[in-house]
Each structure stands twice: as structure tokens, then as C-alpha cells.
Amino acid sequence: MEYEKKILVCENSMEGIFTAVYDGWHWGNKGIRVGIAVEEPEYPELFADRVDIISDCEKAMKVARSVRHKLGEQIYEAVCYAVVSTHPDKGTAVFYLLRKALGGGACDRHVLEALADPAVSLVSSLRIKVWHEIHRFYGFVRFRELEGGSLISSIHPENDILELLGPHFSNRFPNENWMIYDEKRKKVLVHEKGKECSVYVQVTLNKMSGEFPGDYDEYEALWKSFCTHITIKERTDLDLQKQFVPLKFRSNMLEFYQNGR
Amino acid sequence: MICKESMSIMEKLEILADAAKYDVACTSSGTDRKGDGSGIGNSIAAGICHSFSGDGRCISLLKVLYTNECVFDCKYCVNRASNDVVRASFTPEEISRLTIEFYRRNYIEGLFLSSGVKESPDATMEELIRSAEILRKQYHFQGYIHLKAIPGASPELIRKAGYLADRMSVNLELPTAEGLKKLAPHKSRQTILRPMKQIQTGCQENKQELMVYRHAPEFVPAGQSTQMIIGAVGESDFQIVSVAEALYKQFALKRVFYSAFVSVNEDKDLPALPQGPPLLREHRLYQADWLLRFYGFRAEELLSENHPNFNLFLDPKCDWAISHLQYFPVEINQADYRMLLRVPGIGEKSAKRIIGARRYHSLDFSDLKKIGVVLKRAVYFITCNGRQMYPVKLEEDYIVRNILEPGKTPFSSSEITYRQLSLFDDEKAAEWKGESSGGI
Ligand code: SF4
């Protein structure tokens, strides 16, 4: 017997979710409800079929390509941002947003405006959240110089945005060797001078930025001093500062280390 | 003059960052430029904040003075010639190296270089140019550079600087010409407005050039900004916003910045300001500035000779709406973009979203909430399909009583009237704040 709802359980990655979208599409066509879960559901849902999805690069590429071509870069970006967020329903929301935009041969390039739709509304709020975090890290990443001149930075972002930082920093520092390490997910984005970025997973780095808060190099000391001297004391407003740089970001920003920590 | 031989970079930076902190403009916005792979850097039009200082302001650029030596004697400035302070100067090599080393550690978007007037305006301008030149030509730096145009520098130098900088600024300093004369005797409206005009014309011509030759060098691509000090010469808000409006219109400025006067020198011509810098007033001016630039308001709609200052308790838009109730309520499903923008609680983003979303279906209050409209404020001024969210009165005093948070004003909330609020000025507010903080 076929239930009226399918729960597709996939890997928590762009490839996994896009494969699930691909595999679930024909059920959508038949009016069967589809949920996409990136984690083993805590309580198995009654009256729903559970389907394991095996990530498939080719299927994922097909989905990516048709979203890009048919719906344009803006919607593609929104979907990618939603996919790296931490929301448990992100996969389902992406699925239904794409159904709404492309289902039944439609091609709605303005689908993001239909905010009354819960799937659209969730995707666009996730997009804003993730965009916000990416943009924050454009500013808050701090590189330390290692011997030999390579630059290393360590972050722990809430959303899985490491790869999405690649284009910005490669364009900005094309002639530097640098890497950004996601402490939480144990993976590292590596850029070699003049080349494209690559990501390595399951990496543990032992010598990290912020590990020796006492020994600042010359420019680190200058930067700390600059941040102190640029403040207008008569206008001190630490709450406002906290609002802009929440405490959770500060562990990787040397200007916030107390001397000797 | 106190001048120390052989200062370390650290000592110089301390002095010259300290001396630059009152300059407000720290934005890196306005230029979108991808790196071409040959050097270092790029630029993002929206700007990026890299940190925030203890006063809650964004740190985006290495904002320093080239030197705090100065032959001018502006009364409001720590670096004035007649002050006895330690003086320091960078060299072009030092400042460019510092910029690059900060930049590659991702501390900053670029450099904001201002300066005191060392020897002469031209001599100073040349040093600023040299610093930017090293960055652009030696380091192939493609990040953001903001250069100050020194009042009195020659047009050739301004032009040269313009081809190196993303943004330039000449500070207007004070909103009135008399104020300038009184407090900045070595500057004049003319030495300030002339380079401003030159930069504006240069930008316009450059746009034409770029249309013909796509690879022509860019002249001040992020446009120019200026800054004025608020509360140093007894000017009214109406004077300030009128000047700002004129600057936007006649000089095509990208931004006008407002800086609440901080008293650093004792001088009989300066106000004492025992209650601290007029921060709330500055805040209201920024809100009004926003209305001028993005919301289609004109200065004389917001204020007038008879109503020369902003309401300290209501933001300028709310204040405008309450005193123009004849335009309300606005019907969400019909009003045009311009009118939607005038509703308190609806910003640019939500106005655009309303226009987009109502193509799909007619909107009600729950949709507005999702869109991001601040209903708490908007509810008095709008209808959805002819209906109010809940019954509210379109009446000045009623709205004021409901919109103000209790305890934020010196009046008990059941008695507040709009008129009372409007008559409450800076001086009374200072007294009231003094009282309330004394009580705690
Ligand atoms: S020109 Fe005036 S404002 Fe500028 S540094 Fe000299 S004294 Fe200060």
C-alpha cells in the first residue's frame, strides 16, 4: 500500500537535498505529499513512507541547472542559502518553493514575492538569515600570518557557509595563500596563490588563531590599539557594540581579547 | 609645538587615530569593483563592517590623520595650531604599508586618510596623494580609498587625488557661513565649496568618458561626502536639513554626515554642553536625512521657520504623519509606492514587498506582519481592504498617547498631547534627563 506522504531522508548537504528534490518530484506530480528530512526523524511519522535518498551528483546538478536557467540567479541563490541553514524543514520548504515555481510546467520567476506561501516565506527568511551571516563573516574573519606568510583564520559559523565564503575571499586575496577553518564542522577552505579554492573535510588543525592571545605580531598589536583609539569615549555605548558584534563572534576577533585573555 | 623625534609606528598610530576619531564617515560603500587578480583587494558596493568600536560605530576603514600638525586654528578642533598637543606624522611609505598589512588580515576595507594642514594645503595634499599612489601603483591595491580634500589645495592636486580615490570629501564643518567664520577663521565657504564643485563636475565628465571608453580611469567612483558639526553655533534643525538638501541637489553628494559637537577645547565661542554631546538630535538628523534621500521628502515638508526643530520624542516620519493626518488612512492594496513609504512602520523593503505580494492576492494584516511591516506603528495609519486592524482613532493626541512607550517622556501617558511634545525642546529635555537620572 502506498501512503499519501513520503518522507525522504537525505544527507545534510546541497547534493543530498537536491537529489531528494529530484527523486521526490514525480510524487509531487501525483499530488502525494513530500517531506525532506536531513536527519533521522526522531519519531517516525505514522502513515508516511520513509525513503532513503542516496546523494547523486548528477541528479543534483540537474536540479541546480534547471533552477538557475529557468528561475534565474536570485532564486538559485535563495535556495542555496536556505539549504546551508540549520532549519530542520529547509529541505521541504525548498521542495515546495520549487513545486510552486516550476510544478505543472510553470515557470514563475517572481515566486519569492509570494510571501503568503509558507514554503516561500520560510526560504526567504532563511535566505536573509544566511546572507546576513555570510556578510558578517566577510567582515569578521581575522587572518593571522604564519611563518612563511600564509594566512589562517578560524570561525564557527552557525550555518554551513564556509564554501560560500570562497568566491569573495579568492577575489579579494588572489595572490595570498590562505585558509579558513570551520571549527564546528572540522573542515577547511584552502586557497593557494593564483588557484581556485578547495575544501577539505574532517580536518583537525592544532595551531589555531586565537590560541596564543598573548603573542600578537606587530600588526595585530597595532590593530588592537587602533580599535581602542578610534572610540569616542564621550559616546561609549557597549550595548550598541554588542548588538552589532554579538559575543559569539568575538572569540575569533583579536580586538576583543582582553590582554592575556 | 611638541614634536618627538623618531616615534614608533605604534605611537604615531595612537595619536593619529585618536585625532581622526571625530570624523564620522567610515563607510566603504559606493564602489563595486572585482579584483583583477593582479594585486590585492576588491570593493563591495554595500560596504562591509569589520568591527565596531566601543561607541557602537562601525569600523570599516583604517581611519587616520596623515598628520596632526596644523597651521590652521579651528576652534572646535584638538589639533588647532594654538593647542599644545603632541604632534606626529606618517610617511607615505608607512601609511601604505600599514593599510596593506591590515587589509590582508581582513581588518579593513581600505583607507580613510584625512589630515591637518602641514606647512600648506598643497604640501599636505601632495603627501596624501603620494600615499594613495603607492597603494594603487606599487601594491596594486584595489580596495577602498577615501581621501580628504584639504580646503585651499589647488585644483590640479584635487584632480590627481580624484583618480586615485574611490571617495573624496570636503567637510562643510558648520551649517552656517557665519558659524564657519566664527569658529574656523582660516576656512571659508568658498575654499570648501570650490573643490566640492570641482569633484562634482569631474564625476559627471568622467561618467561621459566611461561611456565612450570603458577603460578610462575612474574619477571618484563612489562620489563625495561631507560632514557638519551639530550644536556648536546655535543653528536650528531646519537650517541643517535645508543645507543638507541643497548639498544633495546642487553638489550631488552621496552622503552628508552629522557629528554631534564634542567639546574638546575650552573657548568662549564654544558652547559648554555639560549634558554631553547632543546625540539624540544627531540621531533625528540622520533619520531626517534618510527621509530626504530615500523617501522622497523635502526639507520644508519636515520643518519650517515656525517649526524649526525636530520632535525629540517622535521620529521625523512619525511626526510628519501625525501632523498630516489628512493623507491617512492609506489603503494597503491600492496606495502607490510613494505613499506607502510615508506610512510610519513601512520602510523601503516592506513597501516594495507589498507591491510585489499584492500582485498575487489582496493583503491583510497577517500578510503585512510576514512582510515585515511594524504594525505597532503602522496600525493607526492604514487599512486593508477598507478595514482597520482593530478600531483606532485617527486623531493626534490619541496616536501620540498610544505610540510612545510609557516612561520615555516626562509626561504621564494619559495626558500627553501632541502639542506638548512639540514644544519640548533641547533645553527642557536636558533638565528632564538630569532629573530622571538623578532619581535612579
Ligand atoms: S584644519 Fe582645522 S579642523 Fe583640520 S586639523 Fe587643522 S585645526 Fe583641525
Side-chain angles (χ1 to χ4, degrees):
Chain A
M1 159 182 174
E2 221 177 339
Y3 286 118
E4 292 302 291
K5 179 164 187 188
K6 307 279 176 193
I7 300 287
L8 314 185
V9 182
C10 67
E11 209 179 62
N12 189 3
S13 69
M14 193 143 350
E15 194 179 311
I17 290 174
F18 281 3
T19 307
V21 168
Y22 186 93
D23 287 347
W25 202 259
H26 69 279
W27 282 310
N29 287 341
K30 287 187 211 143
I32 295 172
R33 284 194 298 139
V34 171
I36 296 180
V38 291
E39 255 169 48
E40 200 53 47
E42 215 170 311
Y43 305 101
E45 227 176 294
L46 292 173
F47 311 113
D49 272 334
R50 183 201 139 115
V51 184
D52 280 308
I53 299 294
I54 299 151
S55 299
D56 180 325
C57 182
E58 225 158 87
K59 290 177 181 172
M61 295 281 270
K62 273 189 191 156
V63 171
R65 222 175 297 133
S66 61
V67 173
R68 265 182 128 141
H69 288 159
K70 293 187 187 151
L71 300 177
E73 287 301 322
Q74 201 201 359
I75 295 175
Y76 179 67
E77 189 191 271
V79 167
C80 292
Y81 284 10
V83 161
V84 303
S85 75
T86 52
H87 200 287
D89 298 332
K90 61 188 182 182
T92 311
V94 164
F95 182 81
Y96 278 104
L97 176 130
L98 294 178
R99 290 293 312 171
K100 188 178 174 77
L102 295 170
C107 182
D108 181 356
R109 296 173 72 99
H110 295 284
V111 68
L112 288 175
E113 287 170 5
L115 285 168
D117 183 294
V120 175
S121 150
L122 180 58
V123 169
S124 57
S125 72
L126 293 176
R127 166 171 82 147
I128 293 167
K129 241 178 123 178
V130 170
W131 180 88
H132 210 77
E133 190 175 33
I134 290 175
H135 205 79
R136 265 190 165 150
F137 276 108
Y138 283 173
F140 294 169
V141 160
R142 292 286 174 270
F143 287 112
R144 300 200 80 181
E145 191 177 49
L146 301 177
E147 272 167 55
S150 300
L151 300 167
I152 182 163
S153 166
S154 164
I155 57 177
H156 40 267
E158 184 187 334
N159 303 294
D160 189 6
I161 57 167
L162 186 67
E163 283 90 336
L164 297 172
L165 297 175
H168 172 79
F169 285 105
S170 313
N171 186 258
R172 176 159 288 206
F173 304 118
N175 297 313
E176 302 272 1
N177 296 318
W178 53 260
M179 53 181 132
I180 304 174
Y181 179 58
D182 181 340
E183 281 171 36
K184 221 168 163 176
R185 297 174 183 80
K186 303 271 178 263
K187 56 180 184 176
V188 62
L189 180 70
V190 178
H191 176 270
E192 251 181 277
K193 182 178 166 158
K195 293 193 189 151
E196 303 250 309
C197 285
S198 26
V199 175
Y200 299 91
V201 293
Q202 290 176 354
V203 189
T204 338
L205 297 184
N206 32 28
K207 197 175 171 179
M208 280 318 306
S209 67
E211 189 166 298
F212 305 109
D215 59 344
Y216 302 116
D217 82 10
E218 182 190 356
Y219 292 100
E220 290 173 340
L222 286 165
W223 170 244
K224 278 177 73 73
S225 160
F226 174 74
C227 290
T228 314
H229 285 273
I230 207 68
T231 301
I232 301 180
K233 284 187 203 68
E234 291 87 337
R235 303 181 59 132
T236 300
D237 191 340
L238 296 180
D239 287 341
L240 195 59
Q241 188 189 31
K242 211 176 284 174
Q243 203 176 306
F244 288 123
V245 194
L247 299 176
K248 64 176 177 187
F249 291 98
R250 298 187 178 187
S251 62
N252 298 112
M253 297 169 79
L254 68 147
E255 62 267 38
F256 291 104
Y257 300 162
Q258 304 298 324
N259 280 337
R261 189 113 61 154
Chain B
M1 189 167 82
I2 309 165
C3 223
K4 249 178 81 181
E5 290 300 311
S6 72
M7 249 186 221
S8 70
I9 300 281
M10 180 61 100
E11 286 169 293
K12 290 185 185 182
L13 182 64
E14 283 168 6
I15 294 169
L16 295 168
D18 237 320
K21 67 186 173 195
Y22 298 108
D23 231 300
V24 213
C26 187
T27 137
S28 58
S29 54
T31 317
D32 237 333
R33 177 174 48 233
K34 280 227 171 288
D36 64 7
S38 72
I40 176 168
N42 58 15
S43 195
I44 307 290
I48 294 176
C49 287
H50 283 261
S51 194
F52 286 85
S53 49
D55 47 28
R57 296 184 306 161
C58 155
I59 301 179
S60 158
L61 302 170
L62 169 59
K63 179 168 66 173
V64 283
L65 296 194
Y66 181 82
T67 177
N68 67 342
E69 287 179 38
C70 196
V71 295
F72 285 7
D73 203 34
C74 310
K75 298 196 171 151
Y76 47 83
C77 175
V78 227
N79 305 321
R80 62 181 183 177
S82 58
N83 270 12
D84 222 8
V85 296
V86 183
R87 307 282 171 167
S89 300
F90 282 118
T91 64
E93 288 72 25
E94 284 167 352
I95 195 69
S96 51
R97 176 82 199 272
L98 190 59
T99 307
I100 290 294
E101 292 296 343
F102 275 13
Y103 193 84
R104 59 192 283 271
R105 287 166 176 76
N106 205 42
Y107 299 162
I108 52 170
E109 285 300 290
L111 173 66
F112 176 3
L113 195 55
S114 177
S115 186
V117 184
K118 191 180 180 177
E119 290 163 42
S120 70
D122 272 358
T124 312
M125 201 65 222
E126 273 175 30
E127 307 254 300
L128 302 192
I129 290 171
R130 184 72 200 121
S131 311
E133 229 165 28
I134 295 179
L135 277 171
R136 291 287 193 230
K137 303 206 168 131
Q138 221 159 293
Y139 291 105
H140 300 283
F141 176 63
Q142 291 153 49
Y144 198 86
I145 298 181
H146 179 159
L147 292 180
K148 217 11 103 54
I150 305 293
S154 68
E156 299 83 63
L157 293 179
I158 301 288
R159 193 180 142 77
K160 216 167 158 192
Y163 281 111
L164 296 164
D166 288 285
R167 169 162 289 180
M168 290 192 68
S169 57
V170 198
N171 283 356
L172 191 69
E173 308 290 12
L174 295 156
T176 62
E178 309 82 74
L180 191 69
K181 212 186 220 160
K182 191 166 121 200
L183 297 187
H186 295 91
K187 292 178 182 165
S188 68
R189 270 287 154 97
Q190 201 216 340
T191 54
I192 290 168
L193 296 182
R194 204 198 34 161
M196 225 183 239
K197 199 72 208 172
Q198 189 196 342
I199 294 167
Q200 180 195 14
T201 320
C203 284
Q204 283 163 351
E205 289 169 359
N206 186 235
K207 280 211 186 85
Q208 302 284 328
E209 264 168 36
L210 285 167
M211 277 198 288
V212 188
Y213 312 103
R214 216 159 45 86
H215 296 294
E218 286 191 294
F219 184 85
V220 198
Q224 58 176 331
S225 62
T226 193
Q227 158 176 339
M228 48 187 153
I229 301 165
I230 302 308
V233 289
E235 73 289 332
S236 72
D237 291 347
F238 183 48
Q239 283 175 309
I240 295 169
V241 286
S242 305
V243 169
E245 182 171 57
L247 289 170
Y248 286 128
K249 283 205 180 122
Q250 292 165 26
F251 293 86
L253 287 200
K254 279 282 149 61
R255 283 297 299 273
V256 174
F257 291 95
Y258 308 90
S259 154
F261 174 67
V262 179
S263 157
V264 288
N265 299 327
E266 271 187 36
D267 197 300
K268 62 174 182 5
D269 289 329
L270 295 174
L273 296 184
Q275 68 276 27
L279 295 178
L280 181 56
R281 188 171 174 211
E282 179 196 281
H283 179 62
R284 291 281 178 254
L285 286 164
Y286 275 112
Q287 290 176 318
D289 186 84
W290 200 260
L291 296 181
L292 294 182
R293 286 188 296 142
F294 302 114
Y295 285 69
F297 280 92
R298 283 170 295 118
E300 75 262 19
E301 283 182 281
L302 297 171
L303 294 171
S304 64
E305 297 286 352
N306 298 328
H307 176 201
N309 290 310
F310 287 114
N311 193 312
L312 290 175
F313 302 102
L314 296 167
D315 65 81
K317 187 170 160 188
C318 218
D319 193 17
W320 178 85
I322 293 175
S323 53
H324 293 83
L325 290 179
Q326 66 272 27
Y327 297 120
F328 298 97
V330 161
E331 170 53 47
I332 290 294
N333 289 296
Q334 268 153 22
D336 62 9
Y337 179 69
R338 218 191 109 262
M339 199 57 219
L340 287 175
L341 274 184
R342 297 206 160 204
V343 177
I346 298 185
E348 278 179 290
K349 256 194 212 136
S350 31
K352 281 191 191 128
R353 287 197 193 141
I354 288 173
I355 306 260
R358 74 186 183 192
R359 271 196 248 134
Y360 285 83
H361 61 96
S362 84
L363 306 177
D364 62 26
F365 289 96
S366 62
D367 297 320
L368 293 186
K369 201 166 179 184
K370 276 190 213 140
I371 281 171
V373 173
V374 186
L375 283 174
K376 209 169 67 182
R377 327 202 97 214
V379 64
Y380 306 97
F381 306 99
I382 54 174
T383 56
C384 284
N385 301 314
R387 279 199 315 273
Q388 292 184 316
M389 185 158 148
Y390 44 81
V392 290
K393 274 187 281 181
L394 202 54
E395 192 244 310
E396 284 177 3
D397 295 343
Y398 172 83
I399 297 175
V400 162
R401 263 173 229 143
N402 283 285
I403 228 166
L404 288 173
E405 283 168 49
K408 287 267 164 86
T409 67
F411 314 107
S412 81
S413 56
S414 56
E415 294 162 13
I416 294 182
T417 65
Y418 178 57
R419 206 181 128 67
Q420 258 178 335
L421 290 184
S422 313
L423 292 175
F424 205 80
D425 58 17
D426 243 348
E427 233 169 84
K428 288 191 197 136
E431 270 169 38
W432 162 62
K433 266 197 236 150
E435 266 169 40
S436 62
S437 61
I440 293 165

